[in-house]
Amino acid sequence: MDYQVTVIQEMVRNKSQLIERLKEQIGRVVVGQKELVDRLLVGLLANGHILLEGVPGLAKSLSVETLARCINAKYQRIQFTPDLLPADLIGTLVYNPQRGEFITKKGPIFANIVLADEINRAPAKVQSALLEAMQEKQVTIGEETFKLPRPFLVLATQNPLEQQGTYPLPEAQLDRFMLKVKITYPKKSEEKEILNRMAYTKRDLTVEPVISPEEIMDLRSIVDQIYLDEKIKDYILDLVFASREPGEYGLKNLENLIECGASPRATISLCLAAKAYAFIQGRGYVIPHDVKTIGMDVLRHRIAITYEAEAEELTPEDIIQTIFDEIPVP
């Protein structure tokens, strides 16, 4: 086993330069926001979609666009609006009178990186059009099914403040996002750097593509091999099961606060995200700190709280933090 970890560690060390080059290019445009950048890279390496939530002006869309420009792949931004239709997203069949037949016109979702900007501005029927694409990596138009390009990543943004004219994401949609990242304001020193860099009518926001889709797929194959000890697997299972059956783990105070716990997809996502985070940290093995660091982003949108919890002004983050504090760390 030690030999296996040593081999994986060497592979991670050899490939870590690609991640450093990506970070360097993103840093030319995005100031600070280290946690955001790390989560974007986790999603890229773990093949997981990401939901970014934050007030306007925190560089959510800019970060996604910059990441896409650093990759030599197809990028598509889709502005979600109340009048958007599923066909505007995935495509439709168009009748060709000259040939007397219907031809398929593919939608903007056929890209490697898709920015679903203000995703909660579109109604449920449009959001549901993403379900097949996000899970099966394919789209059905008419009677024909088309595979999406690889890699395929949906990076969505939403504003937590303005709720007028928005449509809450259904649970099935939320569960398909590996991470939900809440973005906060930058530090004062970082905002001064933003001021020095951005306060011009003509800005230099050029970056260079430093990684190809083939290299991303290669990195993902290494992430799959990162060593995950049985004790870490059991720790991940304890965290997820504690959200479903808190009383079984000595958390009786949470029994009346959780309406619905995390799904098996959360278990898989937490495992993959922890591996990807370990890779970014330059390790060929996962430690409990990786799970705890990335765990909040994996679980916060997968736990539904009761009215009693809301009455006590508790949030899903409060519940998850209690679980992390009480479950023994291996």
Side-chain angles (χ1 to χ4, degrees):
M1 190 61 67
D2 291 340
Y3 171 76
Q4 179 186 355
V5 174
T6 303
V7 172
I8 298 172
Q9 183 70 38
E10 187 63 28
M11 294 169 63
V12 171
R13 187 179 298 110
N14 292 337
K15 294 294 184 179
S16 61
Q17 58 180 335
L18 287 173
I19 296 300
E20 293 305 318
R21 282 159 55 190
L22 257 178
K23 286 184 176 181
E24 179 187 355
Q25 290 296 320
I26 295 173
R28 292 185 178 185
V29 176
V30 180
V31 179
Q33 298 290 11
K34 180 182 182 299
E35 182 175 315
L36 169 60
V37 173
D38 281 349
R39 271 49 175 184
L40 290 176
L41 294 177
V42 165
L44 187 67
L45 295 175
N47 192 21
H49 312 292
I50 303 176
L51 178 61
L52 305 176
E53 183 178 279
V55 297
L58 296 183
K60 299 185 296 295
S61 301
L62 179 63
S63 299
V64 174
E65 182 182 352
T66 302
L67 173 67
R69 288 193 284 131
C70 293
I71 302 171
N72 191 16
K74 185 177 181 181
Y75 163 70
Q76 187 69 54
R77 173 175 176 164
I78 305 172
Q79 190 67 48
F80 278 59
T81 56
D83 60 345
L84 198 68
L85 297 173
D88 299 327
L89 190 64
I90 65 174
T92 187
L93 295 174
V94 179
Y95 183 70
N96 186 336
Q98 296 177 342
R99 300 171 60 179
E101 62 182 17
F102 286 92
I103 60 174
T104 302
K105 181 181 179 182
K106 295 181 179 180
I109 202 171
F110 285 87
N112 295 107
I113 295 182
V114 175
L115 169 58
D117 202 26
E118 298 280 4
I119 189 173
N120 57 337
R121 295 286 175 188
K125 62 181 179 181
V126 179
Q127 297 175 11
S128 297
L130 281 172
L131 295 179
E132 182 184 12
M134 293 176 68
Q135 184 61 33
E136 279 79 29
K137 307 295 190 296
Q138 65 183 29
V139 167
T140 301
I141 303 175
E143 297 180 353
E144 194 171 357
T145 299
F146 301 89
K147 291 291 183 182
L148 291 167
R150 300 178 65 194
F152 173 72
L153 201 63
V154 174
L155 303 173
T157 68
Q158 68 177 15
N159 178 359
L161 296 182
E162 296 179 88
Q163 298 303 319
Q164 291 185 345
T166 62
Y167 303 83
L169 298 181
E171 297 300 326
Q173 176 83 41
L174 280 173
D175 201 40
R176 279 166 168 78
F177 285 101
M178 175 178 280
L179 307 175
K180 179 182 179 181
V181 183
K182 289 195 172 183
I183 305 170
T184 58
Y185 289 110
K187 299 176 182 177
K188 190 172 183 179
S189 58
E190 294 172 343
E191 192 148 347
K192 186 173 183 180
E193 176 61 25
I194 293 172
L195 182 67
N196 293 334
R197 190 180 300 186
M198 299 291 187
Y200 298 95
T201 56
K202 185 178 180 180
R203 306 168 184 167
D204 182 17
L205 302 178
T206 57
V207 294
E208 300 176 1
V210 294
I211 192 171
S212 67
E214 293 76 20
E215 288 174 316
I216 292 173
M217 302 308 294
D218 183 42
L219 292 179
R220 287 181 177 180
S221 67
I222 297 176
V223 169
D224 285 338
Q225 299 177 61
I226 285 181
Y227 179 66
L228 191 67
D229 191 81
E230 291 298 323
K231 292 181 180 179
I232 303 293
K233 292 180 183 178
D234 291 337
Y235 179 53
I236 291 174
L237 287 169
D238 287 342
L239 292 172
V240 173
F241 272 78
S243 73
R244 303 175 195 167
E245 304 166 355
E248 297 293 325
Y249 292 84
L251 301 173
K252 293 187 179 298
N253 58 319
L254 299 183
E255 284 186 322
N256 298 325
L257 304 178
I258 301 175
E259 181 177 347
C260 180
S263 69
R265 191 184 280 125
T267 307
I268 298 170
S269 295
L270 188 50
C271 172
L272 289 173
K275 285 184 174 183
Y277 187 79
F279 182 97
I280 293 173
Q281 302 304 311
R283 280 184 276 101
Y285 54 92
V286 176
I287 60 176
H289 180 71
D290 298 329
V291 178
K292 297 190 74 170
T293 300
I294 204 71
M296 183 65 76
D297 298 310
V298 173
L299 298 175
R300 62 159 48 101
H301 55 297
R302 290 185 160 98
I303 293 180
I305 59 176
T306 62
Y307 289 114
E308 183 177 339
E310 293 179 2
E312 295 182 19
E313 298 184 347
L314 295 174
T315 64
E317 286 89 345
D318 296 328
I319 305 294
I320 296 166
Q321 190 59 57
T322 300
I323 293 174
F324 274 118
D325 291 341
E326 297 298 329
I327 297 299
V329 179

PDB file of all heavy atoms in Angstrom, residues 15 27 36 45 61 68 73 96 119 121 135 146 149 153 159 163 175 198 204 253 267 273 277 280 283:
ATOM      1  N   LYS A  15       2.220  16.272 -12.335  1.00  0.00           N
ATOM      2  CA  LYS A  15       1.132  16.966 -13.025  1.00  0.00           C
ATOM      3  C   LYS A  15       0.692  18.252 -12.323  1.00  0.00           C
ATOM      4  O   LYS A  15      -0.112  19.005 -12.875  1.00  0.00           O
ATOM      5  CB  LYS A  15      -0.077  16.033 -13.156  1.00  0.00           C
ATOM      6  CG  LYS A  15       0.150  14.823 -14.053  1.00  0.00           C
ATOM      7  CD  LYS A  15       0.354  15.233 -15.508  1.00  0.00           C
ATOM      8  CE  LYS A  15       0.481  14.014 -16.411  1.00  0.00           C
ATOM      9  NZ  LYS A  15       0.649  14.399 -17.828  1.00  0.00           N
ATOM     10  N   GLY A  27      -5.215  34.143 -11.782  1.00  0.00           N
ATOM     11  CA  GLY A  27      -4.802  35.237 -10.909  1.00  0.00           C
ATOM     12  C   GLY A  27      -4.495  36.525 -11.646  1.00  0.00           C
ATOM     13  O   GLY A  27      -4.442  37.590 -11.028  1.00  0.00           O
ATOM     14  N   LEU A  36     -12.784  30.367  -3.888  1.00  0.00           N
ATOM     15  CA  LEU A  36     -13.573  30.218  -5.107  1.00  0.00           C
ATOM     16  C   LEU A  36     -12.772  29.525  -6.200  1.00  0.00           C
ATOM     17  O   LEU A  36     -13.264  28.590  -6.849  1.00  0.00           O
ATOM     18  CB  LEU A  36     -14.058  31.594  -5.584  1.00  0.00           C
ATOM     19  CG  LEU A  36     -14.672  31.649  -6.989  1.00  0.00           C
ATOM     20  CD1 LEU A  36     -15.893  30.753  -7.086  1.00  0.00           C
ATOM     21  CD2 LEU A  36     -15.017  33.090  -7.359  1.00  0.00           C
ATOM     22  N   LEU A  45     -11.652  19.050 -11.845  1.00  0.00           N
ATOM     23  CA  LEU A  45     -10.925  17.789 -11.690  1.00  0.00           C
ATOM     24  C   LEU A  45     -11.830  16.635 -11.279  1.00  0.00           C
ATOM     25  O   LEU A  45     -11.546  15.480 -11.611  1.00  0.00           O
ATOM     26  CB  LEU A  45      -9.813  17.956 -10.650  1.00  0.00           C
ATOM     27  CG  LEU A  45      -8.683  18.928 -11.008  1.00  0.00           C
ATOM     28  CD1 LEU A  45      -7.726  19.077  -9.833  1.00  0.00           C
ATOM     29  CD2 LEU A  45      -7.931  18.459 -12.231  1.00  0.00           C
ATOM     30  N   SER A  61     -19.299  35.553 -12.441  1.00  0.00           N
ATOM     31  CA  SER A  61     -19.265  35.298 -13.883  1.00  0.00           C
ATOM     32  C   SER A  61     -17.865  35.496 -14.446  1.00  0.00           C
ATOM     33  O   SER A  61     -17.429  34.732 -15.325  1.00  0.00           O
ATOM     34  CB  SER A  61     -20.254  36.223 -14.610  1.00  0.00           C
ATOM     35  OG  SER A  61     -21.569  36.028 -14.127  1.00  0.00           O
ATOM     36  N   ALA A  68     -12.655  29.428 -18.177  1.00  0.00           N
ATOM     37  CA  ALA A  68     -12.938  28.881 -19.505  1.00  0.00           C
ATOM     38  C   ALA A  68     -11.898  29.345 -20.526  1.00  0.00           C
ATOM     39  O   ALA A  68     -11.478  28.570 -21.392  1.00  0.00           O
ATOM     40  CB  ALA A  68     -14.335  29.300 -19.953  1.00  0.00           C
ATOM     41  N   ALA A  73     -10.902  25.070 -24.882  1.00  0.00           N
ATOM     42  CA  ALA A  73     -12.138  24.320 -25.077  1.00  0.00           C
ATOM     43  C   ALA A  73     -13.268  25.297 -25.384  1.00  0.00           C
ATOM     44  O   ALA A  73     -13.116  26.519 -25.285  1.00  0.00           O
ATOM     45  CB  ALA A  73     -12.465  23.509 -23.824  1.00  0.00           C
ATOM     46  N   ASN A  96     -36.859  21.635 -42.691  1.00  0.00           N
ATOM     47  CA  ASN A  96     -36.178  22.108 -43.892  1.00  0.00           C
ATOM     48  C   ASN A  96     -37.089  21.855 -45.083  1.00  0.00           C
ATOM     49  O   ASN A  96     -37.232  20.719 -45.547  1.00  0.00           O
ATOM     50  CB  ASN A  96     -34.852  21.366 -44.065  1.00  0.00           C
ATOM     51  CG  ASN A  96     -34.017  21.923 -45.215  1.00  0.00           C
ATOM     52  OD1 ASN A  96     -34.548  22.526 -46.145  1.00  0.00           O
ATOM     53  ND2 ASN A  96     -32.708  21.728 -45.145  1.00  0.00           N
ATOM     54  N   ILE A 119     -29.232  31.457 -12.837  1.00  0.00           N
ATOM     55  CA  ILE A 119     -30.001  30.270 -13.194  1.00  0.00           C
ATOM     56  C   ILE A 119     -31.406  30.287 -12.612  1.00  0.00           C
ATOM     57  O   ILE A 119     -32.344  29.726 -13.207  1.00  0.00           O
ATOM     58  CB  ILE A 119     -29.248  28.994 -12.760  1.00  0.00           C
ATOM     59  CG1 ILE A 119     -29.928  27.736 -13.327  1.00  0.00           C
ATOM     60  CG2 ILE A 119     -29.097  28.913 -11.261  1.00  0.00           C
ATOM     61  CD1 ILE A 119     -29.156  26.459 -13.098  1.00  0.00           C
ATOM     62  N   ARG A 121     -33.436  32.647 -12.525  1.00  0.00           N
ATOM     63  CA  ARG A 121     -34.311  33.599 -13.217  1.00  0.00           C
ATOM     64  C   ARG A 121     -35.227  32.902 -14.212  1.00  0.00           C
ATOM     65  O   ARG A 121     -36.172  33.493 -14.725  1.00  0.00           O
ATOM     66  CB  ARG A 121     -33.483  34.653 -13.959  1.00  0.00           C
ATOM     67  CG  ARG A 121     -32.675  35.569 -13.068  1.00  0.00           C
ATOM     68  CD  ARG A 121     -33.538  36.573 -12.375  1.00  0.00           C
ATOM     69  NE  ARG A 121     -32.771  37.389 -11.428  1.00  0.00           N
ATOM     70  CZ  ARG A 121     -33.308  38.242 -10.576  1.00  0.00           C
ATOM     71  NH1 ARG A 121     -34.622  38.378 -10.545  1.00  0.00           N
ATOM     72  NH2 ARG A 121     -32.568  38.920  -9.740  1.00  0.00           N
ATOM     73  N   GLN A 135     -26.548  15.025 -15.441  1.00  0.00           N
ATOM     74  CA  GLN A 135     -26.327  13.712 -14.870  1.00  0.00           C
ATOM     75  C   GLN A 135     -25.781  12.705 -15.888  1.00  0.00           C
ATOM     76  O   GLN A 135     -24.778  12.040 -15.640  1.00  0.00           O
ATOM     77  CB  GLN A 135     -27.636  13.165 -14.281  1.00  0.00           C
ATOM     78  CG  GLN A 135     -27.482  11.824 -13.576  1.00  0.00           C
ATOM     79  CD  GLN A 135     -26.528  11.900 -12.403  1.00  0.00           C
ATOM     80  OE1 GLN A 135     -26.442  12.921 -11.723  1.00  0.00           O
ATOM     81  NE2 GLN A 135     -25.786  10.826 -12.160  1.00  0.00           N
ATOM     82  N   PHE A 146     -28.024  12.815 -28.075  1.00  0.00           N
ATOM     83  CA  PHE A 146     -26.693  13.282 -28.466  1.00  0.00           C
ATOM     84  C   PHE A 146     -25.802  13.361 -27.232  1.00  0.00           C
ATOM     85  O   PHE A 146     -26.206  13.892 -26.196  1.00  0.00           O
ATOM     86  CB  PHE A 146     -26.765  14.666 -29.113  1.00  0.00           C
ATOM     87  CG  PHE A 146     -27.635  14.728 -30.338  1.00  0.00           C
ATOM     88  CD1 PHE A 146     -28.995  15.001 -30.223  1.00  0.00           C
ATOM     89  CD2 PHE A 146     -27.100  14.504 -31.597  1.00  0.00           C
ATOM     90  CE1 PHE A 146     -29.796  15.063 -31.347  1.00  0.00           C
ATOM     91  CE2 PHE A 146     -27.896  14.559 -32.720  1.00  0.00           C
ATOM     92  CZ  PHE A 146     -29.244  14.832 -32.599  1.00  0.00           C
ATOM     93  N   PRO A 149     -20.012  17.125 -25.304  1.00  0.00           N
ATOM     94  CA  PRO A 149     -18.543  17.049 -25.385  1.00  0.00           C
ATOM     95  C   PRO A 149     -17.925  16.797 -24.021  1.00  0.00           C
ATOM     96  O   PRO A 149     -18.509  17.109 -22.977  1.00  0.00           O
ATOM     97  CB  PRO A 149     -18.143  18.418 -25.943  1.00  0.00           C
ATOM     98  CG  PRO A 149     -19.294  19.318 -25.630  1.00  0.00           C
ATOM     99  CD  PRO A 149     -20.511  18.460 -25.683  1.00  0.00           C
ATOM    100  N   LEU A 153     -19.073  20.732 -18.140  1.00  0.00           N
ATOM    101  CA  LEU A 153     -19.187  21.302 -16.790  1.00  0.00           C
ATOM    102  C   LEU A 153     -20.188  22.448 -16.813  1.00  0.00           C
ATOM    103  O   LEU A 153     -20.077  23.356 -17.646  1.00  0.00           O
ATOM    104  CB  LEU A 153     -17.820  21.802 -16.328  1.00  0.00           C
ATOM    105  CG  LEU A 153     -17.586  21.981 -14.823  1.00  0.00           C
ATOM    106  CD1 LEU A 153     -17.705  20.652 -14.110  1.00  0.00           C
ATOM    107  CD2 LEU A 153     -16.222  22.593 -14.564  1.00  0.00           C
ATOM    108  N   ASN A 159     -28.173  35.000  -7.369  1.00  0.00           N
ATOM    109  CA  ASN A 159     -28.104  36.100  -6.414  1.00  0.00           C
ATOM    110  C   ASN A 159     -29.017  35.776  -5.237  1.00  0.00           C
ATOM    111  O   ASN A 159     -30.202  35.539  -5.426  1.00  0.00           O
ATOM    112  CB  ASN A 159     -28.547  37.392  -7.119  1.00  0.00           C
ATOM    113  CG  ASN A 159     -28.559  38.595  -6.189  1.00  0.00           C
ATOM    114  OD1 ASN A 159     -28.259  38.495  -5.008  1.00  0.00           O
ATOM    115  ND2 ASN A 159     -28.919  39.746  -6.732  1.00  0.00           N
ATOM    116  N   GLN A 163     -35.226  38.265  -4.735  1.00  0.00           N
ATOM    117  CA  GLN A 163     -36.057  37.077  -4.904  1.00  0.00           C
ATOM    118  C   GLN A 163     -37.274  37.332  -5.791  1.00  0.00           C
ATOM    119  O   GLN A 163     -37.963  36.389  -6.171  1.00  0.00           O
ATOM    120  CB  GLN A 163     -36.507  36.560  -3.534  1.00  0.00           C
ATOM    121  CG  GLN A 163     -35.356  36.129  -2.640  1.00  0.00           C
ATOM    122  CD  GLN A 163     -34.481  35.058  -3.283  1.00  0.00           C
ATOM    123  OE1 GLN A 163     -34.971  34.140  -3.917  1.00  0.00           O
ATOM    124  NE2 GLN A 163     -33.178  35.184  -3.122  1.00  0.00           N
ATOM    125  N   ASP A 175     -29.383  18.790  -6.261  1.00  0.00           N
ATOM    126  CA  ASP A 175     -28.591  17.614  -5.921  1.00  0.00           C
ATOM    127  C   ASP A 175     -27.591  17.263  -7.006  1.00  0.00           C
ATOM    128  O   ASP A 175     -26.636  16.535  -6.763  1.00  0.00           O
ATOM    129  CB  ASP A 175     -29.518  16.420  -5.654  1.00  0.00           C
ATOM    130  CG  ASP A 175     -28.843  15.345  -4.824  1.00  0.00           C
ATOM    131  OD1 ASP A 175     -28.118  15.704  -3.885  1.00  0.00           O
ATOM    132  OD2 ASP A 175     -29.028  14.144  -5.117  1.00  0.00           O
ATOM    133  N   MET A 198      -8.635  47.304 -12.016  1.00  0.00           N
ATOM    134  CA  MET A 198      -9.873  47.341 -12.789  1.00  0.00           C
ATOM    135  C   MET A 198     -10.446  48.735 -13.032  1.00  0.00           C
ATOM    136  O   MET A 198     -11.342  48.883 -13.862  1.00  0.00           O
ATOM    137  CB  MET A 198     -10.947  46.498 -12.073  1.00  0.00           C
ATOM    138  CG  MET A 198     -10.585  45.038 -11.913  1.00  0.00           C
ATOM    139  SD  MET A 198     -10.569  44.176 -13.498  1.00  0.00           S
ATOM    140  CE  MET A 198     -10.320  42.484 -12.938  1.00  0.00           C
ATOM    141  N   ASP A 204      -6.955  45.369 -19.140  1.00  0.00           N
ATOM    142  CA  ASP A 204      -6.181  44.273 -19.712  1.00  0.00           C
ATOM    143  C   ASP A 204      -6.526  42.987 -18.960  1.00  0.00           C
ATOM    144  O   ASP A 204      -6.011  42.717 -17.889  1.00  0.00           O
ATOM    145  CB  ASP A 204      -4.676  44.565 -19.618  1.00  0.00           C
ATOM    146  CG  ASP A 204      -3.842  43.458 -20.257  1.00  0.00           C
ATOM    147  OD1 ASP A 204      -4.408  42.657 -21.036  1.00  0.00           O
ATOM    148  OD2 ASP A 204      -2.625  43.385 -19.986  1.00  0.00           O
ATOM    149  N   ASN A 253     -30.481  16.251  19.418  1.00  0.00           N
ATOM    150  CA  ASN A 253     -30.940  17.641  19.325  1.00  0.00           C
ATOM    151  C   ASN A 253     -31.203  18.064  17.883  1.00  0.00           C
ATOM    152  O   ASN A 253     -31.840  19.088  17.631  1.00  0.00           O
ATOM    153  CB  ASN A 253     -29.917  18.580  19.953  1.00  0.00           C
ATOM    154  CG  ASN A 253     -28.543  18.455  19.308  1.00  0.00           C
ATOM    155  OD1 ASN A 253     -28.095  17.353  19.010  1.00  0.00           O
ATOM    156  ND2 ASN A 253     -27.880  19.587  19.105  1.00  0.00           N
ATOM    157  N   THR A 267     -22.653  11.377  -0.936  1.00  0.00           N
ATOM    158  CA  THR A 267     -21.535  10.530  -0.514  1.00  0.00           C
ATOM    159  C   THR A 267     -20.494  10.440  -1.618  1.00  0.00           C
ATOM    160  O   THR A 267     -19.284  10.586  -1.378  1.00  0.00           O
ATOM    161  CB  THR A 267     -22.043   9.117  -0.164  1.00  0.00           C
ATOM    162  OG1 THR A 267     -23.108   9.223   0.787  1.00  0.00           O
ATOM    163  CG2 THR A 267     -20.926   8.279   0.436  1.00  0.00           C
ATOM    164  N   ALA A 273     -14.773  15.014  -4.432  1.00  0.00           N
ATOM    165  CA  ALA A 273     -14.306  16.367  -4.139  1.00  0.00           C
ATOM    166  C   ALA A 273     -13.101  16.344  -3.207  1.00  0.00           C
ATOM    167  O   ALA A 273     -12.157  17.126  -3.371  1.00  0.00           O
ATOM    168  CB  ALA A 273     -15.434  17.198  -3.537  1.00  0.00           C
ATOM    169  N   TYR A 277      -9.498  17.847  -4.084  1.00  0.00           N
ATOM    170  CA  TYR A 277      -8.887  18.856  -3.216  1.00  0.00           C
ATOM    171  C   TYR A 277      -7.501  18.405  -2.767  1.00  0.00           C
ATOM    172  O   TYR A 277      -6.566  19.220  -2.701  1.00  0.00           O
ATOM    173  CB  TYR A 277      -9.782  19.117  -2.009  1.00  0.00           C
ATOM    174  CG  TYR A 277      -9.305  20.265  -1.157  1.00  0.00           C
ATOM    175  CD1 TYR A 277      -9.549  21.582  -1.549  1.00  0.00           C
ATOM    176  CD2 TYR A 277      -8.615  20.052   0.026  1.00  0.00           C
ATOM    177  CE1 TYR A 277      -9.104  22.641  -0.779  1.00  0.00           C
ATOM    178  CE2 TYR A 277      -8.172  21.098   0.800  1.00  0.00           C
ATOM    179  CZ  TYR A 277      -8.416  22.395   0.396  1.00  0.00           C
ATOM    180  OH  TYR A 277      -7.959  23.452   1.154  1.00  0.00           O
ATOM    181  N   ILE A 280      -5.120  19.118  -5.551  1.00  0.00           N
ATOM    182  CA  ILE A 280      -4.753  20.539  -5.624  1.00  0.00           C
ATOM    183  C   ILE A 280      -3.725  20.887  -4.555  1.00  0.00           C
ATOM    184  O   ILE A 280      -2.848  21.727  -4.765  1.00  0.00           O
ATOM    185  CB  ILE A 280      -6.019  21.412  -5.468  1.00  0.00           C
ATOM    186  CG1 ILE A 280      -6.931  21.222  -6.689  1.00  0.00           C
ATOM    187  CG2 ILE A 280      -5.649  22.881  -5.323  1.00  0.00           C
ATOM    188  CD1 ILE A 280      -8.269  21.915  -6.552  1.00  0.00           C
ATOM    189  N   ARG A 283      -1.128  16.301  -2.873  1.00  0.00           N
ATOM    190  CA  ARG A 283      -1.030  15.020  -2.189  1.00  0.00           C
ATOM    191  C   ARG A 283      -1.697  13.910  -2.982  1.00  0.00           C
ATOM    192  O   ARG A 283      -2.695  14.148  -3.671  1.00  0.00           O
ATOM    193  CB  ARG A 283      -1.672  15.104  -0.796  1.00  0.00           C
ATOM    194  CG  ARG A 283      -0.776  15.736   0.248  1.00  0.00           C
ATOM    195  CD  ARG A 283      -1.421  15.707   1.625  1.00  0.00           C
ATOM    196  NE  ARG A 283      -2.333  16.836   1.792  1.00  0.00           N
ATOM    197  CZ  ARG A 283      -3.642  16.750   1.684  1.00  0.00           C
ATOM    198  NH1 ARG A 283      -4.196  15.579   1.403  1.00  0.00           N
ATOM    199  NH2 ARG A 283      -4.389  17.803   1.857  1.00  0.00           N
TER     200      ARG A 283
END
